[in-house]
Amino acid sequence: MTLPASDRPDTAESELPEGAAVATTTSGSVATDYAVALLAGLVDAGVRELVLSPGSRSQAIALAAAEFERAGRLRLRVRIDERSAGFLALGLAVESGLPAVVVTTSGTAVANLHPAVLEAHHSGVPMIVLTADRPVELRGIGANQTTQQPGMFGVATRAGHDLEAPRSGPVDPTAVRSVARAAVATALGVPDADRAESAPAVPGPVHLNVAFREPLSAALDALPAARPEPVEAASWSDAARAGAVRVEVDVEPATVVVAGHGAGPEAESLARALGAPLVAEVSSGAHFGPNLALGFRALLGDAELGGAVRRVVVLGHPTLTRQVPALLTRAGVEVVVVRGATADAYDPGRSATVVDAVDVVETAGGVPDDRAHRAWVGRWVHSGRRVVGDDEAAPDLEAATSDDGSARAEFLRGEVALLRRSVTRRALAETLWRVTWPHDRLVLGASRLIREVDEVVPGKKIRVHANRGLAGIDGTVATAAGIALASQVDDGAPGVTRVLVGDLTLLHDVGSLLFGDGEVRPRLQVVVGNDGGGTIFDGLEVAATAPVDAMRRVQFTPHGVQLAGLAAAYGWHHVLASTRAELDQALARAWDGPVLIEVPLAR
Ligand SMILES: Cc1ncc(C[n+]2csc(CCOP(=O)(O)OP(=O)(O)O)c2C)c(N)n1
Ligand SMILES: [Mg+2]
């Protein structure tokens, strides 16, 4: 059967004059020459990772990428689903701090990147979206697989360029190189000297839409020589500091430091410098240190502690509680927000003094080491410990070593019973926290379990990530795979990446369990708390009044998916961990490929 021209993928649009493209190119295809020049520019500017999904219009970039990988100049990851590819690139960039490139063909393929682009925009993650397109003469005439790609991501990109490979060559590698370099710099948030803006640039996605004409690719014999000249990534905070307004925070015992997602360890040092308690979300990068106040939901709601707060310094993007925004909008509370690498400064009360970097928050009155400060911090820290308490009574260690045989037997019976107990959300959170070490990575999906972890785990300096830019349940497995892959690149003693998700969050991104033949497997344990649907909605106020059946159907969205079967279909190991002993064993299992650990949870 011969397909009608309009249904054939990318074959019918030979709009060039005969021979024009061939005469002035290196490879025989302007598209290939352009793709090679662009990738060379990106790699020389510091790009290390490229994710692509297959397609015809993007073939020149895809084949050139394979060649760069063969030459050891790029790591290439191939994924069928562009939504998955986008989140994989996001995870690679989160872990490496470098912009990952994601390549798609034209049409709906591009739109599938939108969720990851939005997340990258809102959380300040560098990313380069490289989409292939039809040339201008084929746009707006109903050509196959052609839509309005330039500008598709709206305000979510730091920059967007509608580029085209020249009509008939030759490709000017210097010009293409400078486009690539500028894209890397913008994605990293390096300020543009020509742009007179008050706020410094922040990292985020850059869209390069490239129109290719036929012939869409040609054989490639040689790559241009490498000329590495990486863009300096550290410039964001330097620039922020250079242009910053100075704000003084008095050292007085009524200040609290709030560290939301991505705040970083600076929040912890600032809390100590101010002699202030630290309210740090679990993915803040500051959930540790002597000033960390656990159980802060209760403390902020407490009239004597939360009620006494007069000033809050916020770093990062708090999203996990209602108590933090309530505090920041309360009358009589002064709010200083330290702008991070995110699209918007966090300012729920629209009343904050926004500063650009942490060292502009100067402490007046010297080092806070007086008794009043110690007492203020101590009250938060001790009350927090009491609020969180212990899930279980501490084991009676005296009984364990007692001379009395029956006391020892009683102790052992108690311990065995504990190990046989089913896993609660709290035990799941605490166990994952306990087994994660600084060389490991922990990724937390949106919904109920991240809040459980946030609420109960003690301080520990480990790498925790969550997509909190928009808190979507989409792309979590792919993001974690990207973090795992980037963390295992040149690792002598590789750690493990663990991602904790609810069942709906897993099912939403189940396609990201797919690895094609020959694709590098991430060192990843996907831990699924399976309660049969979205139990976060059980906590909505409306659940008390809405019809039970309706709530179940439209919010809880029950399913009977057999996760073991899914895992098998995708070639993953599946372990059912119904008891605490089984969970411990599953997490400690020797590495022999990606594993999906299913933990049944009561609704
Ligand atoms: C892309 C996207 N769609 C919808 C939502 C709204 N949402 C938030 S949590 C949730 C349910 C999550 O269920 P599950 O992963 O099973 O976690 P659980 O609360 O049951 O632990 C949904 C649908 C979202 N955050 N992102
Ligand atoms: Mg669930």
Side-chain angles (χ1 to χ4, degrees), residues 460-490:
K460 192 172 180 182
K461 217 171 176 178
I462 51 179
R463 302 267 293 256
V464 182
H465 176 74
N467 284 341
R468 298 310 297 175
L470 286 184
I473 61 165
D474 44 354
T476 313
V477 175
T479 305
I483 288 173
L485 286 168
S487 72
Q488 70 198 45
V489 166
D490 37 27

Short mmCIF file of all heavy atoms in Angstrom, two decimals, residues 460-490:
data_model
loop_
_atom_site.label_atom_id
_atom_site.label_comp_id
_atom_site.label_asym_id
_atom_site.label_seq_id
_atom_site.Cartn_x
_atom_site.Cartn_y
_atom_site.Cartn_z
N LYS A 460 18.97 15.54 59.23
CA LYS A 460 20.02 14.70 58.62
C LYS A 460 20.44 15.39 57.33
O LYS A 460 19.60 15.87 56.58
CB LYS A 460 19.44 13.31 58.32
CG LYS A 460 20.46 12.25 57.97
CD LYS A 460 19.73 10.90 57.90
CE LYS A 460 20.64 9.76 57.54
NZ LYS A 460 19.91 8.48 57.42
N LYS A 461 21.76 15.39 57.10
CA LYS A 461 22.26 16.11 55.93
C LYS A 461 22.32 15.16 54.73
O LYS A 461 23.35 14.55 54.48
CB LYS A 461 23.66 16.63 56.24
CG LYS A 461 23.95 17.97 55.65
CD LYS A 461 25.25 18.52 56.19
CE LYS A 461 25.62 19.82 55.53
NZ LYS A 461 26.84 20.38 56.07
N ILE A 462 21.19 14.98 54.07
CA ILE A 462 21.17 14.10 52.90
C ILE A 462 20.49 14.82 51.74
O ILE A 462 19.80 15.83 51.95
CB ILE A 462 20.43 12.77 53.20
CG1 ILE A 462 19.06 13.03 53.82
CG2 ILE A 462 21.29 11.88 54.08
CD1 ILE A 462 18.28 11.76 54.12
N ARG A 463 20.70 14.32 50.52
CA ARG A 463 20.16 15.00 49.34
C ARG A 463 18.72 14.53 49.09
O ARG A 463 18.48 13.37 48.78
CB ARG A 463 21.01 14.68 48.10
CG ARG A 463 22.46 15.05 48.23
CD ARG A 463 22.75 16.45 47.69
NE ARG A 463 22.58 16.58 46.27
CZ ARG A 463 23.59 16.64 45.40
NH1 ARG A 463 24.83 16.53 45.82
NH2 ARG A 463 23.36 16.82 44.13
N VAL A 464 17.79 15.46 49.26
CA VAL A 464 16.38 15.13 49.08
C VAL A 464 15.83 16.02 47.98
O VAL A 464 16.02 17.25 48.00
CB VAL A 464 15.58 15.41 50.38
CG1 VAL A 464 14.13 15.03 50.20
CG2 VAL A 464 16.20 14.67 51.55
N HIS A 465 15.16 15.43 47.02
CA HIS A 465 14.54 16.24 45.98
C HIS A 465 13.05 15.94 45.90
O HIS A 465 12.60 14.82 46.13
CB HIS A 465 15.18 15.99 44.61
CG HIS A 465 14.48 16.77 43.53
ND1 HIS A 465 14.63 18.12 43.39
CD2 HIS A 465 13.57 16.40 42.60
CE1 HIS A 465 13.87 18.55 42.40
NE2 HIS A 465 13.21 17.53 41.90
N ALA A 466 12.29 16.95 45.53
CA ALA A 466 10.87 16.78 45.22
C ALA A 466 10.53 17.83 44.17
O ALA A 466 11.11 18.92 44.21
CB ALA A 466 10.03 16.98 46.47
N ASN A 467 9.66 17.50 43.25
CA ASN A 467 9.23 18.51 42.26
C ASN A 467 8.20 19.41 42.93
O ASN A 467 7.00 19.19 42.81
CB ASN A 467 8.63 17.82 41.03
CG ASN A 467 9.70 17.23 40.13
OD1 ASN A 467 10.87 17.61 40.20
ND2 ASN A 467 9.30 16.31 39.27
N ARG A 468 8.69 20.43 43.62
CA ARG A 468 7.77 21.33 44.34
C ARG A 468 7.51 22.63 43.59
O ARG A 468 6.80 23.50 44.11
CB ARG A 468 8.32 21.66 45.74
CG ARG A 468 8.49 20.47 46.66
CD ARG A 468 7.28 19.57 46.76
NE ARG A 468 6.09 20.19 47.33
CZ ARG A 468 4.90 19.59 47.41
NH1 ARG A 468 4.74 18.36 46.96
NH2 ARG A 468 3.86 20.22 47.93
N GLY A 469 8.09 22.77 42.38
CA GLY A 469 7.79 23.97 41.61
C GLY A 469 6.29 24.10 41.40
O GLY A 469 5.69 25.13 41.67
N LEU A 470 5.68 23.00 40.95
CA LEU A 470 4.22 22.99 40.78
C LEU A 470 3.58 21.79 41.49
O LEU A 470 2.37 21.58 41.36
CB LEU A 470 3.85 22.96 39.30
CG LEU A 470 4.05 24.29 38.56
CD1 LEU A 470 3.56 24.18 37.13
CD2 LEU A 470 3.32 25.44 39.25
N ALA A 471 4.41 21.00 42.19
CA ALA A 471 3.88 19.88 42.99
C ALA A 471 2.97 18.95 42.19
O ALA A 471 1.95 18.47 42.69
CB ALA A 471 3.15 20.41 44.23
N GLY A 472 3.35 18.69 40.94
CA GLY A 472 2.56 17.74 40.14
C GLY A 472 2.85 16.31 40.56
O GLY A 472 3.93 16.00 41.06
N ILE A 473 1.85 15.44 40.31
CA ILE A 473 2.13 14.02 40.53
C ILE A 473 2.68 13.40 39.25
O ILE A 473 2.93 12.20 39.18
CB ILE A 473 0.89 13.22 41.01
CG1 ILE A 473 -0.25 13.28 39.98
CG2 ILE A 473 0.41 13.72 42.36
CD1 ILE A 473 -1.34 12.22 40.25
N ASP A 474 2.87 14.21 38.22
CA ASP A 474 3.37 13.68 36.95
C ASP A 474 4.91 13.65 36.94
O ASP A 474 5.57 14.43 37.60
CB ASP A 474 2.86 14.53 35.77
CG ASP A 474 2.95 16.03 36.03
OD1 ASP A 474 3.30 16.44 37.15
OD2 ASP A 474 2.67 16.79 35.09
N GLY A 475 5.45 12.73 36.18
CA GLY A 475 6.89 12.73 35.90
C GLY A 475 7.80 12.40 37.07
O GLY A 475 8.99 12.61 36.99
N THR A 476 7.25 11.85 38.15
CA THR A 476 8.09 11.65 39.34
C THR A 476 9.09 10.51 39.14
O THR A 476 10.25 10.62 39.55
CB THR A 476 7.20 11.36 40.57
OG1 THR A 476 6.15 12.33 40.59
CG2 THR A 476 7.99 11.45 41.85
N VAL A 477 8.65 9.44 38.50
CA VAL A 477 9.58 8.32 38.26
C VAL A 477 10.69 8.77 37.32
O VAL A 477 11.88 8.50 37.54
CB VAL A 477 8.82 7.10 37.68
CG1 VAL A 477 9.79 5.98 37.32
CG2 VAL A 477 7.77 6.60 38.66
N ALA A 478 10.31 9.51 36.27
CA ALA A 478 11.32 9.97 35.30
C ALA A 478 12.29 10.95 35.96
O ALA A 478 13.51 10.88 35.72
CB ALA A 478 10.62 10.66 34.12
N THR A 479 11.80 11.84 36.79
CA THR A 479 12.69 12.78 37.49
C THR A 479 13.69 12.02 38.34
O THR A 479 14.89 12.31 38.34
CB THR A 479 11.87 13.74 38.39
OG1 THR A 479 10.88 14.38 37.59
CG2 THR A 479 12.75 14.78 39.04
N ALA A 480 13.18 11.03 39.07
CA ALA A 480 14.06 10.24 39.95
C ALA A 480 15.08 9.47 39.12
O ALA A 480 16.25 9.35 39.51
CB ALA A 480 13.22 9.29 40.81
N ALA A 481 14.64 8.95 37.97
CA ALA A 481 15.58 8.22 37.11
C ALA A 481 16.68 9.16 36.63
O ALA A 481 17.86 8.79 36.58
CB ALA A 481 14.83 7.62 35.92
N GLY A 482 16.31 10.40 36.31
CA GLY A 482 17.32 11.38 35.88
C GLY A 482 18.31 11.67 36.99
O GLY A 482 19.53 11.72 36.76
N ILE A 483 17.81 11.83 38.20
CA ILE A 483 18.69 12.08 39.35
C ILE A 483 19.62 10.88 39.55
O ILE A 483 20.83 11.03 39.74
CB ILE A 483 17.84 12.39 40.60
CG1 ILE A 483 17.23 13.78 40.44
CG2 ILE A 483 18.67 12.29 41.88
CD1 ILE A 483 16.23 14.17 41.51
N ALA A 484 19.05 9.68 39.48
CA ALA A 484 19.86 8.47 39.66
C ALA A 484 20.93 8.38 38.58
O ALA A 484 22.11 8.15 38.88
CB ALA A 484 18.95 7.24 39.62
N LEU A 485 20.54 8.57 37.32
CA LEU A 485 21.50 8.42 36.23
C LEU A 485 22.62 9.45 36.34
O LEU A 485 23.79 9.12 36.15
CB LEU A 485 20.78 8.55 34.88
CG LEU A 485 19.91 7.34 34.49
CD1 LEU A 485 19.00 7.67 33.31
CD2 LEU A 485 20.79 6.13 34.17
N ALA A 486 22.26 10.69 36.66
CA ALA A 486 23.30 11.72 36.76
C ALA A 486 24.20 11.47 37.97
O ALA A 486 25.39 11.79 37.94
CB ALA A 486 22.66 13.11 36.86
N SER A 487 23.64 10.86 39.03
CA SER A 487 24.46 10.66 40.23
C SER A 487 25.39 9.45 40.09
O SER A 487 26.34 9.31 40.84
CB SER A 487 23.57 10.48 41.47
OG SER A 487 22.95 9.23 41.44
N GLN A 488 25.11 8.59 39.13
CA GLN A 488 25.93 7.37 39.01
C GLN A 488 26.93 7.47 37.87
O GLN A 488 27.58 6.49 37.53
CB GLN A 488 25.03 6.15 38.83
CG GLN A 488 24.32 6.05 37.49
CD GLN A 488 23.14 5.08 37.53
OE1 GLN A 488 22.33 5.09 38.45
NE2 GLN A 488 23.03 4.24 36.53
N VAL A 489 27.09 8.67 37.30
CA VAL A 489 27.92 8.83 36.11
C VAL A 489 29.37 8.44 36.34
O VAL A 489 29.91 7.57 35.67
CB VAL A 489 27.82 10.26 35.57
CG1 VAL A 489 28.92 10.51 34.58
CG2 VAL A 489 26.49 10.47 34.93
N ASP A 490 30.04 9.12 37.27
CA ASP A 490 31.43 8.75 37.48
C ASP A 490 31.70 8.52 38.95
O ASP A 490 32.49 9.16 39.59
CB ASP A 490 32.40 9.78 36.91
CG ASP A 490 31.90 11.18 37.11
OD1 ASP A 490 31.12 11.40 38.07
OD2 ASP A 490 32.24 12.04 36.32
#
